């Protein structure tokens, strides 16, 4: 009676057949239970209860191990009364695994007496700690995949199980339970999958939508509310083309055509979608077809992303790259022109010395000098735009720069332009190039005056500012506002000095506002000049920030913020020509013949002896031979074979006390200040005037007498 009975075990007799027919009557009841739509837990408990009635057993357990044998799910049903709990026994993963392997290989097991089994037998070991005496075990599987097992048992007493009831359970009930468990698994997987995708769709920042082949919305994710202001249900049934900007509809129809013709598995489109408030949103839409089982397009999936901020960043990056490229071009042009202008203006000055008594010649020299001066001014603006111009910082009061320019401006403007000054007395000084600071004030005021041809109010305000910066670098400008901030400036530190220049003129639209810092851009006529491009370059070289607010018909306000300097102590430069005769030998090195000859002539006019070198290598060799008589070396920065700073380094190896003056028309490496700090006694920006050269040389040499050179190294 305790032997394992596999199915089938023998031919059924008439009694067995009658018993089987009785038991088979329970099958419709189990089927009706499964068809009631009960929850799984309630359903399995009812089925277990029906099995108890079918077999006359005392307990029935259904063990599901479909996911993890070590953590099975268990349902039970027992007759009324107190019965031992077997959940702990069936929770033993190792023994349950062995039992399932036995059932999978041998089929259902009918055990009249568990005590007749060997102690190591998995079914006896599984119930070693419980009073189960007789039991039947049936595998639950879907196809070849094991799902668990069904356990029917008696406590304390032996029972001879009928073959008919075992057959009904094995052939009918177990498959029904297996299908029920598998259905539950599939329903749970579907529910989990739907839950995951619903979570992704509901929480995605992108707008996810499904469309029929004609473009009508079938589904819209909740992101449509945040992005467009519509509730998802408002989108259903509407056509996607109805939300597009009119200029983008043709591209959208082309996208649909490509999808319909299966030209591409996915199509990306940049377009503008209309919000509920009527405004438009810049978006990027990726569309892909959803096919049915025949390969036909059933739906179109679209994922739409708001790229408004990305477009702003891209536009700023493009603007910066464009201006950087223009700056490189402007700087290169200015460099070549500065060398040419030094030759022209220097020659004019030397001719004036030679022809001082010829009034007719001086008249034409004056014309050349004025034209040269305008050309010098233009190259200065080019270099200011390229952030590579002359930069001689000192402590300057912003109020002084304004007050110094205002009389000139008042004389230049008609009486219909009213000046209003509001200059705070507590503004700290700034570390700035005084001439460039005045150029900023002059350029902005001239622009303001031109914007008011019929008259108006030009307001200039200065103030001290503490705390957080007015325009943080990471905040985009508002509509009708452009903010340009230096990448190197740190305006979050206090204090700062603010200059505001406002007018009540015609203002600018957004298109004009986006181009005002481009070189030579003007709303009046082509070739107006550098203007605001140079202003921007000057502000950036001073680690400042410039912002513009303007609307058509509402005037324009420029706001410039500079970091404040601690003190105000200005050094007034002496603009007189150097007095008296000088003496000493100067080595001049420049690869431009005309420039070198003009500079040498200027120095000789002051009484200096001059030695000329055509490049850095030649200058080093001349210095090596004659350094005992050379009082000063004047080097151009950019020369072939050897640059001016490298030549100076070689000369210092020959004579550590060498005095040197650096000259350049363009700070190509943006290292002028660093190079000068390495030991040069001064720097001259080309083109320079004869008087400027004389003052700088006299300043470096001081009171050296004729023949007094740098001491030689023994």
């Amino acid at each position: 009676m305790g032997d394992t009975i596999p199915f089938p075990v023998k031919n059924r007799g008439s009694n067995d057949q009658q018993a089987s027919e009785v038991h088979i009557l329970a099958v419709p009841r189990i089927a009706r239970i499964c068809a009631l739509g009960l929850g799984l837990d309630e359903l399995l408990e009812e089925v277990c209860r029906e099995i108890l009635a079918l077999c006359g057993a005392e307990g029935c357990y259904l063990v599901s191990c479909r996911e993890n044998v070590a953590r099975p799910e268990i349902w039970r049903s027992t007759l009324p009364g107190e019965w031992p709990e077997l959940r702990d026994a069936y929770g033993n993963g190792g023994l349950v695994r062995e039992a399932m392997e036995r059932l999978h290989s041998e089929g259902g097991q009918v055990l009249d007496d568990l005590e007749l089994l060997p102690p190591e037998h998995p079914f006896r070991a599984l119930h070693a700690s419980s009073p189960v005496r007789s039991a039947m075990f049936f595998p639950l599987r879907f196809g070849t995949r094991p799902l668990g097992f069904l356990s029917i048992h008696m406590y304390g007493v032996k029972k001879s199980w009928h073959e008919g009831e075992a057959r009904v359970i094995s052939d009918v009930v177990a498959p029904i339970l297996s299908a029920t468990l598998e259905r539950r698994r599939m329903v749970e997987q579907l529910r989990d999958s739907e839950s995951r995708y619903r979570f992704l769709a509901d929480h995605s920042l992108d707008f996810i939508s499904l469309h029929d082949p004609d473009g009508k919305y079938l589904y819209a994710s909740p992101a449509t509310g945040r992005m467009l202001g519509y509730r998802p249900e408002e989108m259903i049934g509407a056509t996607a083309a109805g939300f597009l900007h009119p200029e983008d509809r043709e591209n959208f129809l082309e996208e649909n055509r490509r999808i319909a013709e299966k030209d591409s598995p996915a199509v990306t489109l940049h377009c503008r979608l209309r919000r509920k408030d009527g405004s438009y949103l810049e978006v990027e839409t990726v569309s892909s077809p959803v096919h049915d089982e025949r390969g036909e397009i059933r739906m179109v999936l679209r994922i739409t992303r708001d790229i408004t901020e990305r477009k702003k960043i891209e536009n700023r990056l493009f603007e910066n790259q464009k201006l950087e490229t223009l700056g490189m071009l402007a700087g290169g042009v200015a460099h070549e022109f500065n060398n040419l202008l030094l030759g022209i203006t220097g020659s004019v000055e030397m001719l004036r010395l030679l022809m001082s008594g010829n009034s007719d010649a001086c008249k034409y020299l004056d014309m050349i000098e004025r034209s040269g001066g305008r050309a010098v001014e233009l190259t200065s603006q080019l270099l200011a735009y390229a952030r590579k111009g002359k930069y001689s910082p000192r402590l300057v009061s912003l109020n002084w720069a304004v007050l110094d320019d205002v009389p000139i401006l008042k004389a230049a403007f008609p009486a219909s332009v009213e000046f209003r000054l509001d200059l705070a007395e507590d503004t700290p000084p700034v570390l700035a190039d005084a001439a460039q600071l005045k150029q900023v004030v002059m350029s902005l005021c001239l622009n303001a005056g031109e914007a008011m041809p019929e008259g108006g109010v030009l307001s200039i305000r200065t103030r001290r500012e503490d705390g957080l910066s007015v325009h943080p670098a990471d905040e985009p400008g508002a509509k009708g506002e452009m903010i340009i901030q230096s990448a190197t400036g740190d305006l979050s530190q206090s204090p700062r000095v603010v200059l505001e220049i406002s007018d009540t003129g015609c203002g600018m639209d957004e298109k004009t506002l986006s181009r005002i810092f481009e070189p030579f851009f003007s709303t009046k006529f082509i070739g107006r000049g550098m203007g605001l491009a140079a202003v921007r370059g000057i502000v950036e070289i001073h680690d400042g920030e410039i912002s513009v607010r303007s609307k058509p018909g509402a005037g324009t306000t420029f706001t410039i913020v500079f970091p404040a300097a601690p003190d105000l102590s200005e050094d007034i430069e002496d603009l007189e020509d150097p007095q008296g005769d000088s003496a000493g030998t100067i080595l001049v090195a420049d690869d431009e013949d005309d420039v070198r000859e003009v500079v040498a002539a200027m120095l000789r006019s002051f009484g200096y002896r001059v030695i000329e070198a055509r490049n850095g290598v030649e200058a080093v060799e001349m210095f090596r031979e004659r350094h005992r008589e050379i009082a000063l070396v004047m080097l151009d920065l950019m020369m072939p074979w050897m640059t001016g700073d490298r030549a100076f380094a070689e000369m210092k190896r020959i004579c550590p006390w060498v005095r040197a003056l650096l000259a350049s028309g363009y700070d190509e490496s943006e290292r002028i200040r660093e190079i000068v700090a390495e030991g040069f006694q001064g720097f001259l920006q080309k083109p320079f005037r004869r008087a400027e050269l004389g003052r700088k040389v006299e300043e470096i040499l001081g009171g050296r007498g004729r023949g007094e050179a740098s001491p030689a190294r023994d």
Side-chain angles (χ1 to χ4, degrees):
M1 292 292 293
D3 295 336
T4 301
I5 306 174
F7 294 98
V9 292
K10 58 181 178 179
N11 293 329
R12 292 181 289 174
S14 59
N15 293 334
D16 289 333
Q17 185 173 357
Q18 292 174 359
S20 178
E21 290 173 352
V22 172
H23 297 310
I24 203 70
L25 295 175
V27 174
R29 295 197 299 271
I30 295 175
R32 281 196 300 272
I33 293 171
C34 293
L36 289 176
L38 302 174
L40 184 66
D41 293 342
E42 187 178 2
L43 169 66
L44 294 178
E45 288 178 3
E46 288 294 327
V47 171
C48 289
R49 188 175 296 112
E50 195 65 33
I51 292 172
L52 287 179
L54 172 69
C55 302
E58 295 172 338
C60 177
Y61 277 73
L62 192 152
V63 181
S64 172
C65 305
R66 56 189 177 87
E67 298 293 342
N68 189 348
V69 175
R71 300 177 61 185
E73 295 180 273
I74 301 171
W75 294 268
R76 68 181 285 253
S77 180
T78 60
L79 294 177
E82 296 293 332
W83 301 97
E85 177 63 68
L86 301 182
R87 292 181 186 273
D88 291 340
Y90 292 149
N92 188 322
L95 293 175
V96 169
R97 184 179 292 105
E98 291 183 28
M100 288 187 62
E101 290 174 355
R102 181 69 65 94
L103 291 172
H104 185 68
S105 61
E106 299 180 5
Q109 306 288 311
V110 177
L111 305 172
D112 293 341
D113 191 350
L114 290 178
E115 292 183 358
L116 298 180
L117 297 176
E120 66 277 5
H121 193 284
F123 292 110
R124 181 172 180 180
L126 193 62
H127 300 86
S129 60
S130 67
V132 173
R133 185 70 179 273
S134 298
M136 290 191 295
F137 300 93
F138 301 95
L140 303 175
R141 54 181 162 233
F142 189 80
T144 59
R145 181 163 51 85
L147 302 177
F149 63 88
L150 179 67
S151 169
I152 304 166
H153 47 261
M154 298 292 292
Y155 297 101
V157 296
K158 295 187 295 181
K159 176 178 172 59
S160 297
W161 306 100
H162 294 288
E163 181 183 353
E165 61 193 14
R167 187 178 300 279
V168 170
I169 295 173
S170 174
D171 295 348
V172 180
V173 177
I176 291 175
L177 292 175
S178 297
T180 302
L181 288 175
E182 180 63 15
R183 185 185 69 181
R184 185 208 185 198
R185 182 188 70 83
M186 295 175 67
V187 169
E188 286 183 347
Q189 285 185 342
L190 180 60
R191 185 171 61 246
D192 291 344
S193 176
E194 288 181 348
S195 177
R196 284 194 298 270
Y197 286 111
R198 175 67 63 181
F199 179 86
L200 291 174
D202 288 352
H203 293 82
S204 173
L205 296 178
D206 294 336
F207 171 30
I208 301 172
S209 57
L210 287 173
H211 304 252
D212 66 13
D214 295 329
K216 291 182 178 179
Y217 281 96
L218 302 175
Y219 165 79
S221 70
T224 183
R226 175 187 55 78
M227 194 176 290
L228 300 177
Y230 293 97
R231 297 191 308 275
E233 54 268 24
E234 293 181 275
M235 308 287 287
I236 306 303
T239 59
F243 294 91
L244 289 169
H245 191 282
E247 296 176 1
D248 298 329
R249 287 175 185 165
E250 185 175 346
N251 291 336
F252 177 78
L253 295 175
E254 175 64 18
E255 173 205 68
N256 272 1
R257 184 199 63 77
R258 291 177 60 190
I259 293 175
E261 296 179 1
K262 303 178 182 178
D263 289 348
S264 175
V267 178
T268 301
L269 176 68
H270 286 196
C271 59
R272 288 158 290 181
L273 290 182
R274 189 186 72 250
R275 292 189 178 101
K276 197 169 186 177
D277 61 6
S279 62
Y280 283 91
L281 181 73
E282 291 269 0
V283 299
E284 178 185 74
T285 297
V286 180
S287 304
S288 56
V290 180
H291 299 92
D292 58 19
E293 60 276 2
R294 295 172 304 187
E296 298 297 325
I297 296 177
R298 184 163 60 96
M299 293 183 294
V300 176
L301 170 66
R302 285 195 173 93
I303 299 177
T304 303
R305 173 167 294 177
D306 181 357
I307 59 170
T308 304
E309 289 303 316
R310 191 176 83 187
K311 291 287 286 185
K312 287 182 180 178
I313 294 172
E314 287 175 354
N315 289 338
R316 286 183 201 155
L317 180 61
F318 173 75
E319 180 72 14
N320 288 337
Q321 289 174 339
K322 179 181 69 175
L323 294 178
E324 182 179 355
T325 302
L326 290 173
M328 292 175 62
L329 175 64
V333 170
H335 175 232
E336 296 302 321
F337 266 93
N338 279 338
N339 278 322
L340 294 173
L341 288 171
L342 179 55
I344 294 171
T345 58
S347 297
V348 168
E349 288 192 278
M350 296 311 298
L351 280 172
R352 189 180 298 280
L353 290 177
L354 296 174
M355 306 178 68
S356 58
N358 190 331
S359 59
D360 292 335
C362 287
K363 179 176 67 174
Y364 292 107
L365 289 176
D366 289 340
M367 293 173 58
I368 297 173
E369 194 168 26
R370 284 195 299 272
S371 298
R374 286 195 292 270
V376 169
E377 182 181 349
L378 177 59
T379 57
S380 298
Q381 291 179 351
L382 284 169
L383 287 173
Y385 170 74
R387 274 79 82 192
K388 303 176 190 297
K390 179 180 179 180
Y391 185 68
S392 303
R394 57 194 178 97
L395 294 175
V396 181
S397 166
L398 201 56
N399 291 351
W400 167 82
V402 172
L403 294 172
D404 202 52
D405 279 344
V406 164
I408 302 173
L409 291 167
K410 284 184 176 180
F413 289 162
S416 58
V417 175
E418 177 187 352
F419 278 78
R420 293 181 183 175
L421 302 184
D422 181 11
L423 309 181
E425 295 182 357
D426 63 342
T427 54
V430 295
L431 188 63
D433 184 292
Q436 291 187 356
L437 200 60
K438 290 180 62 179
Q439 182 182 340
V440 167
V441 175
M442 183 70 71
S443 294
L444 294 180
C445 288
L446 288 175
N447 272 341
E450 290 179 352
M452 301 182 291
E454 305 300 325
V457 178
L458 195 160
S459 302
I460 305 176
R461 291 177 291 273
T462 61
R463 67 176 185 272
R464 175 193 178 101
E465 188 177 85
D466 297 287
L468 293 177
S469 178
V470 176
H471 297 296
D474 57 350
E475 288 291 332
K479 187 174 182 180
E481 176 179 16
M482 174 177 285
I483 299 172
I484 304 296
Q485 185 170 37
S486 168
T488 58
D490 182 8
L491 295 177
S492 62
Q493 303 299 318
S494 298
R496 297 174 300 278
V497 185
V498 181
L499 169 67
E500 276 188 4
I501 298 179
S502 305
D503 64 67
T504 58
C506 56
M508 294 177 281
D509 57 23
E510 287 192 51
K511 184 177 180 181
T512 303
L513 195 63
S514 66
R515 298 190 60 193
I516 58 172
F517 292 110
E518 293 181 12
F520 300 104
F521 173 75
S522 175
T523 58
K524 299 173 179 60
F525 51 84
I526 297 174
R528 184 71 178 176
M530 292 298 292
L532 294 175
V535 169
R536 175 187 175 176
I538 292 171
V539 170
E540 289 193 357
I541 203 174
H542 288 84
D543 295 334
E545 170 187 302
I546 181 169
S547 62
V548 190
R549 286 188 179 88
S550 185
K551 287 185 179 180
T556 302
T557 298
F558 283 86
T559 303
I560 299 176
V561 184
F562 291 113
D567 303 307
L568 179 61
S569 57
E570 299 187 35
D571 296 326
I572 306 300
E573 293 185 17
D574 182 10
L575 300 181
E576 300 286 333
D577 268 359
Q579 300 297 317
D581 293 332
S582 302
T585 300
I586 300 176
L587 171 60
V588 176
D590 198 301
D591 59 307
E592 293 285 344
D593 294 340
D594 292 342
V595 172
R596 187 178 63 253
E597 290 179 12
V598 165
V599 172
M602 289 179 176
L603 291 172
R604 291 188 181 102
S605 70
F606 291 119
Y608 297 105
R609 295 184 298 272
V610 180
I611 305 171
E612 299 180 33
R614 292 170 294 182
N615 54 59
V617 174
E618 187 174 302
V620 171
E621 292 304 316
M622 287 184 175
F623 186 78
R624 191 188 310 278
E625 296 174 2
R626 305 176 62 176
H627 64 271
R628 288 182 175 83
E629 63 179 283
I630 294 174
L632 176 67
V633 178
M634 185 174 178
L635 299 167
D636 182 35
L637 178 60
M638 302 306 298
M639 293 185 290
W641 309 112
M642 184 180 291
T643 59
D645 56 327
R646 286 184 54 200
F648 180 54
E650 292 296 323
M651 293 176 183
K652 286 199 292 185
R653 291 190 180 96
I654 300 169
C655 178
W657 302 279
V658 59
R659 293 173 178 263
L661 173 63
L662 184 66
S664 179
Y666 172 49
D667 188 2
E668 186 170 347
S669 62
E670 300 184 21
R671 290 183 56 243
I672 287 290
R673 279 180 279 183
E674 295 179 21
I675 293 173
V676 171
E678 291 175 1
F680 282 93
Q681 275 65 49
F683 170 72
L684 280 177
Q685 172 77 53
K686 295 179 180 178
F688 44 81
R689 304 296 297 271
R690 172 178 171 273
E692 189 178 357
L693 172 64
R695 287 195 305 275
K696 183 62 70 173
V697 172
E698 187 179 48
E699 175 188 324
I700 295 173
L701 294 181
R704 286 184 184 277
R706 182 177 300 274
E708 291 187 61
S710 300
R713 182 172 59 183
D714 295 333

